[in-house]
Amino acid sequence: MATTKRPTWMGRPSATVKTAKALAIVFLIAIVVVPFWVVLATSFASNDDVTGNGGYVLWPMHPTTEAYQQVFTNGIVTKALIVSAAVTLLGTAISLAATVLLAYALARPGVYGGKPAMLFILFTFLVPPGIIPAYLVVQNLGLLDSYGSLVLPVLVNAFNVVIMRGFFQGIPEDLYSAARLDGAGEWRILTRVVLPLSKAVVAVVGLFYAVGYWNAFFNAILYLNDSSRWPLQAVLRLYVIQGAQLGDNTSDAGASIAPQSIQMAAVVVATVPILCVYPFLQRYFVKGVLTGAVKS
Amino acid sequence: MNRGDVRRSRLRRDALLVLLMVPGLAYFLVFHYGALAGNVIAFEDYVPFIGVWDSAWIGIGNFAKMVGDAAFWNSAANTVSISTLQILFFFPVPLIVALLVHSLTNTTVKRWVQSVVYLPHFISWVIVVTLFQQMLGGTGLLNGLLGDAGLDPVEVIGNPDLFKPLVVAQVVWKEFGWGTIIYLAALHQVDEQLLEASAMDGAGWWRRLWHVTLPSLRPVIVLLLILRLGEMLSVGFEQFILQRDAVGPQAGEVLDTFVYYSGVVNGNWGYAAAAGLVKGLIGAVLIYAANRVAHRLGEQGVYR
């Protein structure tokens, strides 16, 4: 096990302190892990497990994947999954492109219009426009009930621009001059010099956008009246939090599996993509975010 | 070359860069500044079918109505009390956890703890609320354990009296780990030599914490506190829209949900915009004032 060396001047902690710290850490981990575990266990539980235990399961005695079969044969959930995946992929690509271009231009010292543009962006931190006027803008652009309303109103995040600009400014000026001497234009400098050096910050900002798109539900509820177009989180709200029936409970299949299990299976399905990208995020964000944020 | 020529030649030199800025700036222009301009409907009796230009102008009528509206003041009171609870009970937690994590010498354990506690930040509010229902709801883990122990069940979810502690607990759960990042970064900056010198002088762990570590963290703590104070009227939106109906507006309405329900749901667009505008302006004043106070205290603050 890797350890950092304790400085010689620092005494070893007493047994009491050690135990207290260990308990505190176990507690912190438990309050995060236990809820996820209960959801996972309940999603794999049979109807008897769930009803026998009053609605939750710590360890499924008769594990079954029936809840997942129900979730994936449910047209509403599968459609919502496709919407969420498409919005996340397309939205992230467009957001990332707009952010990189803006941050790159703003990072060049003395660029024409750079200072007023920066103030223009920073001011948006100070006064958020409000829900009602934002709705009016979406309405006037004719975006109500279109998937564009899930992407365009949150296209660029000012904070991400600041992080990325800070990172680009940290790239030594010599590299820019060298590339320019070799005859490279701005576009070539961006794609061949800056972006390859900025993988960490691009990955982090991209994953921030992706997580944002994946987790969003309020824009969908606000802008999409037609609930058949809703992304996964909005559907989850309706069926899991508000308790509408999910799954086909009129047929025999519905009787063999508790509604809680189906709900929890849907929750797992919505959480797994986050858990999949999380290790990558984890690896990059301290490096990417902190260097960017501390600078600016 | 005169001034105009210089500017034109700079523009020609930077033409491509300016072009690269266009999509991003257009976004802010339309969705922030365009929306800000849309706040004029706060001064109108806005009717969607007639539009912004032709709706009747009623001056401060919407604001006057707000003064006498008990529902508005109820949502404002809920917002401020939840905010205050968040500052008291959420704000210190990341600092304490960061000190704990920083004190670990085993880097493997340290990395695992960090990975686990950051995770809830990336989970959607829908999932967080679901997890809380599954833990604390009528058929959840807590009541299951209480039942096994022969105790009476406790109604936590959907109980208006426990709503405020519940939502603060949810914020603590979701963000306590993420909040440690900035403190952990700051803890690395603490001067080792100062710590060593004070240890030589016989300062124990507590004295080193109080006289060296915490003073070094002061700028970060002040900065975060300012940001939080500036956000006093924004306690979060998605979290409340998800749970307001379970406890009713008396306990569960905050300013943001008040704006949503009076405008989008009940169609009082101008009135809702007025409430939102007041909220936004007070928020801006709070940030400005908090920053002034920070400068008065000799701290860096958010901006200069």
Side-chain angles (χ1 to χ4, degrees):
Chain A
M1 271 207 243
T3 54
T4 47
K5 219 175 136 230
R6 189 192 312 280
T8 43
W9 49 267
M10 200 187 280
R12 295 192 69 80
S14 68
T16 330
V17 171
K18 270 184 170 169
T19 319
K21 270 161 67 169
L23 284 176
I25 283 161
V26 169
F27 173 75
L28 291 180
I29 290 183
I31 60 168
V32 174
V33 171
V34 169
F36 286 110
W37 174 256
V38 170
V39 165
L40 193 65
T42 309
S43 75
F44 281 108
S46 69
N47 193 29
D48 292 345
D49 288 342
V50 175
T51 48
N53 210 6
Y56 73 96
V57 173
L58 279 175
W59 188 259
M61 299 308 254
H62 315 281
T64 163
T65 56
E66 216 172 305
Y68 289 91
Q69 289 165 24
Q70 291 241 356
V71 163
F72 283 113
T73 53
N74 180 298
I76 301 164
V77 177
T78 43
K79 168 118 197 258
L81 256 175
I82 294 168
V83 171
S84 280
V87 166
T88 303
L89 290 176
L90 283 174
T92 304
I94 304 173
S95 290
L96 203 50
T99 308
V100 167
L101 296 182
L102 183 57
Y104 174 71
L106 288 172
R108 311 297 299 116
V111 62
Y112 185 86
K115 270 189 191 135
M118 203 57 210
L119 286 176
F120 184 80
I121 294 168
L122 292 178
F123 180 77
T124 62
F125 277 122
L126 199 60
V127 189
I131 299 157
I132 303 294
Y135 182 90
L136 293 184
V137 169
V138 171
Q139 189 182 37
N140 284 323
L141 292 175
L143 290 173
L144 286 185
D145 272 321
S146 86
Y147 291 124
S149 67
L150 302 184
V151 174
L152 292 175
V154 290
L155 190 73
V156 183
N157 180 301
F159 190 66
N160 288 343
V161 174
V162 171
I163 289 177
M164 208 176 256
R165 174 175 175 263
F167 193 94
F168 289 161
Q169 285 175 334
I171 295 173
E173 193 56 39
D174 296 350
L175 281 175
Y176 290 100
S177 342
R180 208 163 285 127
L181 276 179
D182 290 343
E186 293 291 352
W187 187 254
R188 197 174 265 268
I189 296 177
L190 173 61
T191 52
R192 297 287 168 80
V193 179
V194 174
L195 284 181
L197 289 171
S198 310
K199 279 187 199 126
V201 76
V202 170
V204 169
V205 168
L207 287 165
F208 278 163
Y209 278 125
V211 169
Y213 282 118
W214 183 260
N215 281 343
F217 72 92
F218 180 64
N219 279 352
I221 289 165
L222 192 58
Y223 301 131
L224 303 181
N225 291 314
D226 177 4
S227 60
S228 73
R229 290 167 162 246
W230 277 358
L232 189 58
Q233 305 287 344
V235 166
L236 277 184
R237 173 202 187 226
L238 185 62
Y239 291 98
V240 178
I241 293 180
Q242 299 183 331
Q245 286 295 337
L246 187 74
D248 187 12
N249 275 28
T250 49
S251 74
D252 295 337
S256 70
I257 196 81
Q260 285 96 330
S261 296
I262 301 173
Q263 290 180 349
M264 292 310 120
V267 167
V268 172
V269 169
T271 314
V272 161
I274 297 282
L275 295 178
C276 290
V277 298
Y278 184 65
F280 300 98
L281 193 70
Q282 166 78 0
R283 196 172 56 191
Y284 281 123
F285 64 50
V286 176
K287 199 163 55 168
V289 178
L290 289 176
T291 47
V294 168
K295 283 232 165 55
S296 39
Chain B
M1 271 205 297
N2 63 32
R3 263 208 150 113
D5 288 340
V6 172
R7 188 181 299 160
R8 260 191 296 279
S9 72
R10 275 186 64 204
L11 181 55
R12 207 170 308 126
R13 183 197 69 187
D14 291 342
L16 180 67
L17 289 174
V18 172
L19 204 65
L20 297 185
M21 290 186 209
V22 168
L25 292 183
Y27 161 77
F28 286 106
L29 183 68
V30 172
F31 287 97
H32 283 263
Y33 292 88
L36 271 180
N39 272 305
V40 293
I41 72 158
F43 303 94
E44 291 180 349
D45 180 19
Y46 176 75
V47 181
F49 304 106
I50 306 179
V52 177
W53 296 114
D54 299 318
S55 288
W57 191 256
I58 57 165
I60 60 160
N62 287 320
F63 297 91
K65 186 175 150 201
M66 212 184 308
V67 175
D69 184 353
F72 169 77
W73 290 110
N74 175 52
S75 68
N78 281 340
T79 308
V80 172
S81 60
I82 291 169
S83 240
T84 311
L85 287 173
Q86 280 188 8
I87 289 168
L88 288 176
F89 292 97
F90 172 64
F91 190 77
V93 179
L95 176 57
I96 296 167
V97 175
L99 288 170
L100 175 67
V101 171
H102 187 71
S103 77
L104 300 176
T105 44
N106 185 321
T107 46
T108 315
V109 174
K110 203 171 181 172
R111 208 164 328 126
W112 271 98
V113 173
Q114 280 173 282
S115 298
V116 170
V117 296
Y118 294 160
L119 183 60
H121 172 77
F122 297 98
I123 302 298
S124 77
W125 270 114
V126 177
I127 309 273
V128 172
V129 171
T130 307
L131 292 177
F132 268 77
Q133 282 183 354
Q134 202 64 12
M135 291 297 106
L136 307 177
T139 59
L141 181 69
L142 174 71
N143 280 331
L145 295 178
L146 285 176
D148 291 345
L151 299 168
D152 289 335
V154 184
E155 195 195 330
V156 181
I157 305 289
N159 182 345
D161 296 330
L162 290 181
F163 182 70
K164 289 185 179 94
L166 174 71
V167 290
V168 174
Q170 287 168 344
V171 170
V172 174
W173 187 82
K174 195 173 189 292
E175 305 296 345
F176 81 92
W178 188 245
T180 62
I181 285 189
I182 192 153
Y183 289 118
L184 284 170
L187 280 166
H188 280 292
Q189 313 286 332
V190 174
D191 192 346
E192 276 281 318
Q193 292 185 332
L194 267 181
L195 287 170
E196 189 180 346
S198 56
M200 294 295 182
D201 292 343
W205 190 83
W206 283 107
R207 296 204 71 132
R208 291 199 302 267
L209 175 72
W210 189 251
H211 293 291
V212 181
T213 310
L214 285 181
S216 314
L217 295 181
R218 204 172 90 136
V220 179
I221 298 172
V222 171
L223 175 75
L224 293 178
L225 195 57
I226 291 171
L227 287 174
R228 186 58 217 131
L229 287 171
E231 297 272 284
M232 197 75 190
L233 297 183
S234 302
V235 287
F237 185 68
E238 300 200 327
Q239 186 189 6
F240 291 91
I241 208 86
L242 287 168
Q243 299 179 96
R244 170 193 182 271
D245 293 343
V247 292
Q250 188 61 35
E253 195 87 285
V254 292
L255 282 170
D256 281 332
T257 56
F258 176 79
V259 169
Y260 171 74
Y261 277 94
S262 34
V264 180
V265 178
N266 294 323
N268 300 321
W269 295 93
Y271 183 54
L277 185 59
V278 166
K279 190 205 137 196
L281 291 178
I282 295 178
V285 171
L286 282 174
I287 293 186
Y288 179 75
N291 207 43
R292 284 291 294 271
V293 172
H295 287 165
R296 200 54 62 81
L297 294 172
E299 300 289 352
Q300 178 100 47
V302 184
Y303 58 87
R304 275 280 163 198

